[in-house]
Amino acid sequence: HTELITSYGGMSTVLICMLEQPANPELQEQACGTLTNLLSSPNAGADESLDLVHTIATEDGLTTIFRSVRMHQAYQAVQEAAFGALYYLSCSRDLTSSQKRQLCLEENVFVLLGTMNQYIDSELLCQRGCGLILNMSFFAPLSQDTMASVGGIRIILAAMRRHGLNVQIQEYGVAILSGICLDEKNHAEFVNEEGISTVLAAMMIHPDQSSIQAYCCDLLSNLASSNSVYKQSIIDGNGQMVASDA
């Protein structure tokens, strides 16, 4: 029904409702859930997808969704639904340059990571959050510095440890960390936050996931080549054996 909802201005109606009742958590949850369903619909054609993203742009939908995230920090269901809308929007090929820049604003990165930290036990929120942050790192490489400066390394590693069996969280997580750790100034924090053991655990738990294995190998190789102490830590953690099996 995505085409019908879109053609009758359903997206605009949802966003207007969110604007008119910002303090209503039940409405915000349902509205964000509707946005998530529309944006993630496999039946949406190219025209419908473009219309959805265009409506969010013209109605300042990103501001509305982030307002909901900020106002309803105490409501897990609102956060999970809002993260869903933001994640699927970030996956759209029709996302404009302006929307990408807005997503990657430091204040938005800060609130996303803070929400993940608050609801680190929510597998759904962490999966959507890691996927969203990974997409944001593709939009703006400089946002990797922002993520590192506001505790992103610690929070991503915590999500990976808490949800070790979730393939998507592990894949998104190691991809994010691999990008952040291209900069040597982030290596110390990664190691101090038990990053080496977390990455090795992901490789051992998911031996058949080629993308996880590849990102982990790249990350560990980068660490080992930059510092002999880190190299020894990887060896002590059976890193050589795990990597040889990858």
Side-chain angles (χ1 to χ4, degrees):
H1 301 128
T2 304
E3 182 178 357
L4 284 174
I5 295 172
T6 304
S7 64
Y8 283 100
M11 179 72 85
S12 293
T13 301
V14 170
L15 292 170
I16 290 170
C17 288
M18 292 179 70
L19 280 171
E20 292 183 344
Q21 299 190 53
N24 186 330
E26 290 79 14
L27 183 142
Q28 296 296 315
E29 176 193 346
Q30 293 172 2
C32 286
T34 300
L35 296 178
T36 298
N37 291 335
L38 289 172
L39 290 163
S40 65
S41 174
N43 299 319
D47 291 341
E48 288 77 34
S49 176
L50 181 60
D51 287 343
L52 291 171
V53 176
H54 178 70
T55 300
I56 288 179
T58 56
E59 301 285 348
D60 200 12
L62 274 174
T63 299
T64 301
I65 297 170
F66 273 109
R67 182 183 298 116
S68 184
V69 172
R70 290 183 171 89
M71 286 188 66
H72 299 286
Q73 281 292 308
Y75 293 90
Q76 180 173 330
V78 174
Q79 302 304 317
E80 290 174 343
F83 268 55
L86 292 169
Y87 167 67
Y88 286 109
L89 178 64
S90 75
C91 292
S92 174
R93 293 174 297 179
D94 301 310
L95 202 64
T96 66
S97 297
S98 177
Q99 288 172 313
K100 292 176 181 179
R101 287 194 299 271
Q102 185 178 358
L103 265 176
C104 296
L105 290 174
E106 184 171 353
E107 63 195 59
N108 291 337
V109 176
F110 182 83
V111 76
L112 291 173
L113 289 169
T115 303
M116 285 182 63
N117 188 51
Q118 181 176 350
Y119 292 105
I120 200 72
D121 289 329
S122 171
E123 186 171 351
L124 178 61
L125 188 144
C126 285
Q127 179 176 317
R128 289 172 168 176
C130 286
L132 171 59
I133 290 170
L134 177 60
N135 286 342
M136 290 163 61
S137 72
F138 294 145
F139 301 154
L142 289 178
S143 69
Q144 294 178 358
D145 288 338
T146 301
M147 285 186 278
S149 67
V150 297
I153 293 174
R154 175 182 59 80
I155 294 168
I156 296 300
L157 286 169
M160 290 177 64
R161 286 193 291 270
R162 192 65 57 93
H163 306 288
L165 297 179
N166 186 299
V167 174
Q168 283 74 35
I169 291 177
Q170 301 304 305
E171 180 179 346
Y172 298 153
V174 294
I176 294 167
L177 294 168
S178 181
I180 291 177
C181 287
L182 287 175
D183 191 333
E184 288 190 15
K185 72 182 181 184
N186 296 321
H187 287 186
E189 182 180 356
F190 173 82
V191 173
N192 292 337
E193 293 292 343
E194 301 179 13
I196 292 175
S197 60
T198 303
V199 166
L200 289 173
M203 295 181 75
M204 289 186 284
I205 294 171
H206 303 283
D208 298 326
Q209 298 296 324
S210 59
S211 57
I212 292 176
Q213 299 296 316
Y215 280 123
C216 289
C217 285
D218 286 345
L219 199 163
L220 293 174
S221 175
N222 186 17
L223 284 174
S225 63
S226 69
N227 187 297
S228 60
V229 175
Y230 300 158
K231 181 178 180 179
Q232 188 60 49
S233 296
I234 295 170
I235 294 172
D236 292 343
N238 291 325
Q240 282 183 314
M241 182 181 68
V242 174
S244 67
D245 292 336

